């Protein structure tokens, strides 16, 4: 990919420390969805989020974004934020050379910027959360905040809607960043769990924010 064709959105200098709780703190929560976009589940989640007026962050795989750019645009048009989740979701990316890491990070970021019509890509999340110190640095140098999580719902194991809901209810704390998936397999349970969790989180006094 010709990386000279798309000027990267330049933000403030990024801290290479992994962000695992919201910067806002207090009774805030960030919902994050990985491994999309997918034609079946991303629109379902967008509908739930829109109905309940909740913002979320979507950590998208470059290859999938490239195949379905309209879905990326729907995500940003709805006011949500993008997170780069690499082009190919290679969990060993953090062990590669700096140039390979940069290629994966920046090519994917460029795909998301182009697909969204110029939206900034504020965050980067390592596939499988497999961070290395080098990968944290490359992410920050590319202008993307390394994004971790507080609660892993393990929804990708298809443990059931109740188990996904319970993982959040049992572990919620102020500033929690919650990991869900809108790709990588059937996600009906995730959609159902998020539908239940939004009103529950509100009843506990939580407001929905971006990680930073
Ligand atoms: Zn992933």
């Amino acid at each position: 990919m010709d990386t000279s064709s798309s000027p990267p959105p330049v933000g403030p200098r990024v801290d290479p420390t992994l962000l695992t709780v919201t910067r806002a703190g207090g009774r805030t929560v960030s919902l994050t969805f990985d491994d999309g976009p997918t034609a079946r589940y991303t629109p379902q989640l967008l509908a739930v989020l829109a109905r309940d007026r909740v913002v979320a962050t979507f950590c998208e795989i470059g290859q999938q974004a490239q195949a379905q750019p309209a879905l990326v645009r729907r995500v940003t048009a709805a006011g949500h934020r993008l997170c780069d989740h690499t082009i190919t979701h290679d969990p060993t990316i953090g062990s590669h050379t700096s140039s390979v890491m940069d290629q994966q990070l920046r090519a994917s970021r460029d795909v998301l910027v182009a697909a969204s019509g110029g939206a900034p890509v504020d965050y980067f999340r390592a596939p499988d959360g497999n961070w290395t110190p080098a990968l944290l640095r490359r992410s920050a140098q590319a202008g993307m905040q390394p994004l971790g999580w507080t609660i892993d719902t393990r929804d990708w194991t298809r443990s059931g809607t109740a188990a996904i809901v319970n993982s959040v209810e049992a572990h919620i704390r102020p500033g929690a960043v919650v990991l869900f998936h809108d790709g990588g397999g059937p996600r009906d349970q995730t959609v159902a769990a998020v539908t239940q969790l939004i009103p529950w989180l509100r009843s506990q006094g939580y407001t929905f924010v971006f990680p930073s």
Side-chain angles (χ1 to χ4, degrees):
M1 177 170 291
D2 177 15
T3 52
S4 66
S5 59
S6 55
V10 177
R13 190 176 157 72
V14 174
D15 179 355
T17 307
L18 186 63
L19 186 65
T20 59
V21 293
T22 70
R23 286 212 202 284
R27 285 182 95 76
T28 62
V29 61
S30 276
L31 307 185
T32 67
F33 298 97
D34 285 17
D35 299 356
T38 57
R40 186 172 176 88
Y41 300 106
T42 307
Q44 290 183 42
L45 284 164
L46 289 175
V48 171
L49 297 170
R51 188 191 62 204
D52 291 340
R53 298 184 184 181
V54 167
V55 293
T57 302
F58 288 80
C59 298
E60 300 192 334
I61 299 172
Q63 280 181 338
Q64 289 176 215
Q66 206 153 25
Q68 306 167 97
L71 284 174
V72 182
R73 193 178 281 261
R74 281 180 65 180
V75 165
T76 55
H80 306 297
R81 287 197 188 164
L82 295 173
C83 169
D84 178 349
H85 203 34
T86 75
I87 284 282
T88 59
H89 204 276
D90 174 1
T92 71
I93 184 66
S95 315
H96 288 261
T97 63
S98 292
S99 65
V100 171
M101 280 188 266
D102 279 352
Q103 195 278 330
Q104 278 270 338
L105 264 68
R106 291 169 191 254
S108 188
R109 192 260 315 275
D110 288 350
V111 166
L112 297 181
V113 170
S116 65
V121 180
D122 300 294
Y123 310 101
F124 173 79
R125 180 175 272 164
D128 296 357
N130 259 348
W131 294 98
T132 60
L135 188 55
L136 289 167
R137 279 197 305 275
R138 303 319 297 177
S139 168
Q141 283 172 10
M144 297 182 285
Q145 171 65 52
L147 181 61
W149 57 77
T150 317
I151 300 172
D152 178 0
T153 64
R154 297 183 58 78
D155 61 338
W156 57 273
T157 66
R158 306 193 65 217
S159 49
T161 301
I164 298 167
V165 168
N166 185 61
S167 71
V168 176
E169 292 187 353
H171 300 290
I172 191 67
R173 66 180 181 87
V177 175
V178 186
L179 169 63
F180 300 97
H181 293 79
D182 62 331
R187 295 291 169 251
D188 304 271
Q189 296 173 359
T190 301
V191 174
V194 169
T195 303
Q196 292 180 36
L197 280 164
I198 290 171
W200 182 81
L201 285 163
R202 283 217 168 102
S203 77
Q204 302 299 303
Y206 280 87
T207 57
F208 298 87
V209 300
F210 296 115
S212 60

